[in-house]
Amino acid sequence: MAAVLLALGAALAYAAASVLQQREAEADRVADGHGAVGGGVRLVLRLARKPVWLAGLAADGVGYALQALALGVGELLVVQPVLTSGILFALPIGAWWAGRRLGAADFAWACALAVGLTVFVVLAGTDGGRDFASRRAWLICAAVAAPVLIGCIVAASRSVGTPRAVLFAFSAGALFGLTAALTKSTVVLLDHHGAGALNHWEPYALLVLGALGFVVNQRAFQAGSLTASLPTLTVVEPVVAAIVGVTMLHETLPTEGALEWVALALSVVAMLAATVALSRSAARYDTIHEHELADVLTRDHRGR
């Protein structure tokens, strides 16, 4: 029960962080004339001057601390499904703050996403495995992941609206999924070697990929509404982490029997369907919002 309560607190903190950071990132885009100017590191530096965004960053820290405490007293398969409930807090709060109501269909799809992700995490949870992946495995991973991530980030930079948010969120989720394996290795190195862990390459790769993921995530938040980016980010991160665990850390799926495999497949279908539905809803809202804002700016310009 302690693990569940701590994980629920972490989910609330992460939800608050997403809402606060996305709100300020989107406001930065509007102030920039809806362009893509000043993305990346410059975006983070601009946002770091905004108290609301810094409050979101602090909420991120609180969420991580609570998650660590939850994992200290409970198992991963207890904590992780509870953390996915954060989307059920973030989307309604984000909609309310944006001055709109989250439709019943959107909330239903958000629930379907949370349930599908919970089923996936429970059934695809891995047993055994290694703490470190071989260098050969990481080189193969880099050869596969780098072109995909570069392609997504380039495509996102050339897109606008919901497609831009989804592509950046996909990239950030994939990066965070990769850092999960590096985090596991780094924690083991710190436990065994202390400061000697700095003699290994994993902590530095974690720092680089983690920072890149954070910056890309802020660009996803900047690109559109929370409904556009958060579902994709929520799904991609654990899926990529699971793939890395099975293929690189030699973890095994405990799923047995046809019924469990069918449930696992259905959970993936539910996650994909919910993500697509929420992204389409976000696209409709963003289009209406852009037209309304353009009308306001036009009237203001004529008034001058």
Side-chain angles (χ1 to χ4, degrees), residues 102-188:
L102 186 69
D106 286 347
F107 188 74
W109 280 117
C111 290
L113 177 60
V115 170
L117 188 53
T118 299
V119 172
F120 177 86
V121 170
V122 170
L123 293 181
T126 54
D127 291 332
R130 304 174 181 175
D131 294 326
F132 301 92
S134 67
R135 289 189 178 182
R136 179 175 180 273
W138 276 114
L139 288 174
I140 294 174
C141 176
V144 173
V148 174
L149 289 172
I150 292 172
C152 284
I153 292 174
V154 170
S157 300
R158 296 176 178 178
S159 303
V160 294
T162 297
R164 180 182 177 89
V166 169
L167 287 168
F168 274 134
F170 178 90
S171 303
L175 287 166
F176 290 149
L178 293 174
T179 59
L182 292 170
T183 299
K184 180 181 180 69
S185 300
T186 300
V187 169
V188 173

Side-chain angles (χ1 to χ4, degrees), residues 48-302:
R49 296 195 293 266
K50 299 182 178 182
V52 173
W53 187 86
L54 290 175
L57 188 63
D60 256 337
V62 171
Y64 185 78
L66 290 173
Q67 181 183 0
L69 290 173
L71 290 171
V73 298
E75 297 181 356
L76 179 64
L77 293 183
V78 174
V79 175
Q80 191 64 28
V82 179
L83 289 178
T84 63
S85 66
I87 192 172
L88 301 180
F89 304 118
L91 291 184
I93 295 172
W96 170 77
W97 199 353
R100 67 184 182 94
R101 295 180 58 186
L102 186 69
D106 286 347
F107 188 74
W109 280 117
C111 290
L113 177 60
V115 170
L117 188 53
T118 299
V119 172
F120 177 86
V121 170
V122 170
L123 293 181
T126 54
D127 291 332
R130 304 174 181 175
D131 294 326
F132 301 92
S134 67
R135 289 189 178 182
R136 179 175 180 273
W138 276 114
L139 288 174
I140 294 174
C141 176
V144 173
V148 174
L149 289 172
I150 292 172
C152 284
I153 292 174
V154 170
S157 300
R158 296 176 178 178
S159 303
V160 294
T162 297
R164 180 182 177 89
V166 169
L167 287 168
F168 274 134
F170 178 90
S171 303
L175 287 166
F176 290 149
L178 293 174
T179 59
L182 292 170
T183 299
K184 180 181 180 69
S185 300
T186 300
V187 169
V188 173
L189 287 171
L190 289 171
D191 182 51
H192 290 174
H193 306 290
L198 298 178
N199 295 326
H200 298 261
W201 64 269
E202 285 88 351
Y204 302 102
L206 173 61
L207 180 63
V208 171
L209 290 184
L212 179 59
F214 178 78
V215 171
V216 173
N217 191 28
Q218 298 307 308
R219 298 197 71 178
F221 285 162
Q222 183 196 40
S225 65
L226 199 62
T227 312
S229 56
L230 192 59
T232 300
L233 182 66
T234 303
V235 169
V236 173
E237 180 180 353
V239 171
V240 170
I243 293 172
V244 170
V246 171
T247 60
M248 295 173 56
L249 299 179
H250 300 281
E251 296 176 342
T252 57
L253 293 175
T255 304
E256 298 178 356
L259 185 59
E260 291 186 3
W261 282 107
V262 170
L264 185 63
L266 290 176
S267 71
V268 174
V269 172
M271 289 189 296
L272 292 175
T275 302
V276 171
L278 289 169
S279 297
R280 287 180 175 177
S281 175
R284 290 193 296 270
Y285 165 74
D286 288 342
T287 299
I288 295 172
H289 180 67
E290 294 289 341
H291 288 321
E292 291 177 346
L293 188 57
D295 290 340
V296 171
L297 293 175
T298 300
R299 288 196 298 270
D300 181 69
H301 178 73
R302 289 176 178 175

